[in-house]
Amino acid sequence: MAIKDLLAVVDTGDKDEQFIKDALSFAEFHEARLTFLVLSVIPSGDYAVMWGAPYVILQDFVEAVETKEKRLVERTRLSNIEVRTISDQPGVMLTKAAVQARYADMVLFGPAETYEYPPVRRDTIESILFASGRPVLVLPNGYQPRTFDHIALGWNASREATHALRDATGIAASGAKVEVLVLDGRPSTKGHGSDPGADIARHLSRHGFATNVVTLNALEKTDAETLVQGARQHGANLLVLGAYGHSRLREMVLGGVTRELIAGAPLPLLFSH
């Protein structure tokens, strides 16, 4: 599947100049249509409880939205780029963002530090993953786009990982190399089978991908750190993960790979649910 329609999500802050450049470069490289979606949560009691209150008065909110829209329009005036804004209550905004995502092949986010309000970013990513059916790609700062000819797949034999694999093979180069990363995998009749990673590697080989099963063990590092390290050590230029194999509540309380990695990493991260 060629990438033809992209949605890049930003907020009303001014920390995302690099991400804006990266999104434009990514769209140009893939010859894709790009839409910037500006998230602007209307100040309210709910907002203050959930994320804090960034605006003292409504006028500050209005000015922030207008300033961001103007900056994006000026930044993209020579390109065929569309700018859309969602201004609404928190819950409604998250729902609308997921609806907008359905009309793109993929949704781009920058790392957490490029957003003025990281909790809004995180909740929007979650809403898009659970409600849109589209994958999310988190780009590292200063990312130079290239063909996805060497990818790493975090494989735990789950439904979510299978979804992520489908999305990844749709954008991978023909004959791409795939590192199947199996973290603490154990034989199971309901999951990995007798040889963790082997079945999915054979499946990918039948589709013309050069596969390699990499067994990983999380020792002194977290699962997320171990997966990123494994992907980088083997030279992959994309790490693919099934998102929220456990519930969001469990990950919020106990932590989890998705919860940790959606903040960003040194290489692009593709999430699907």
Side-chain angles (χ1 to χ4, degrees):
M1 177 193 75
I3 301 172
K4 293 299 180 184
D5 230 333
L6 291 165
L7 186 71
V9 180
V10 296
D11 62 15
T12 54
D14 58 4
K15 298 180 178 180
D16 55 7
E17 183 61 29
Q18 185 60 56
F19 172 58
I20 292 171
K21 293 178 182 177
D22 296 341
L24 288 167
S25 295
F26 189 87
E28 182 179 4
F29 180 83
H30 291 281
E31 298 181 343
R33 164 82 175 186
L34 176 63
T35 299
F36 279 103
L37 183 65
V38 181
L39 304 177
S40 59
V41 183
I42 295 175
S44 66
D46 290 343
Y47 187 104
V49 169
M50 293 175 65
W51 297 315
Y55 304 110
V56 177
I57 58 176
L58 184 59
Q59 183 59 33
D60 293 338
F61 163 78
V62 173
E63 290 179 357
V65 174
E66 291 177 347
T67 299
K68 186 54 172 274
E69 289 176 340
K70 181 179 179 182
R71 184 160 72 91
L72 279 172
V73 170
E74 290 177 348
R75 183 71 180 77
T76 61
R77 67 173 60 183
L78 299 180
S79 307
N80 185 25
I81 307 298
E82 184 179 355
V83 177
R84 298 179 183 175
T85 300
I86 299 177
S87 294
D88 220 312
Q89 301 295 324
V92 177
M93 186 201 70
L94 295 177
T95 299
K96 288 183 175 180
V99 171
Q100 291 294 319
R102 294 171 190 163
Y103 306 111
D105 295 315
M106 180 182 296
V107 186
L108 304 180
F109 282 83
E113 65 268 19
T114 62
Y115 291 74
E116 195 72 34
Y117 313 109
V120 177
R121 169 192 177 275
R122 183 197 63 227
D123 287 356
T124 305
I125 290 176
E126 292 179 349
S127 180
I128 288 171
L129 286 171
F130 278 88
S132 76
R134 295 300 192 182
V136 165
L137 181 66
V138 179
L139 298 176
N141 257 343
Y143 175 66
Q144 298 296 317
R146 55 173 294 185
T147 302
F148 293 124
D149 57 1
H150 190 177
I151 68 178
L153 168 68
W155 181 251
N156 61 1
S158 67
R159 169 192 174 280
E160 292 78 17
T162 306
H163 238 272
L165 176 61
R166 181 202 62 187
D167 289 331
T169 53
I171 64 172
S174 177
K177 186 173 183 179
V178 181
E179 309 288 347
V180 179
L181 306 183
V182 180
L183 178 63
D184 296 330
R186 293 178 175 80
S188 169
T189 56
K190 295 183 179 180
H192 282 300
S194 60
D195 188 4
D199 287 336
I200 199 64
R202 283 191 288 268
H203 169 73
L204 286 166
S205 295
R206 295 184 189 108
H207 284 273
F209 295 102
T211 60
N212 178 42
V213 178
V214 180
T215 301
L216 300 174
N217 293 288
L219 300 174
E220 297 180 357
K221 298 181 182 298
T222 66
D223 289 356
E225 291 170 337
T226 303
L227 288 167
V228 170
Q229 183 182 62
R232 298 187 74 193
Q233 284 182 340
H234 287 81
N237 58 20
L238 176 69
L239 175 56
V240 180
L241 298 160
Y244 292 107
H246 302 297
S247 71
R248 280 179 285 182
L249 178 59
R250 172 174 170 167
E251 291 220 4
M252 187 181 300
V253 176
L254 301 178
V257 171
T258 311
R259 195 78 176 180
E260 183 174 343
L261 284 183
I262 58 173
L267 77 167
L269 304 170
L270 183 72
F271 294 100
S272 300
H273 178 78

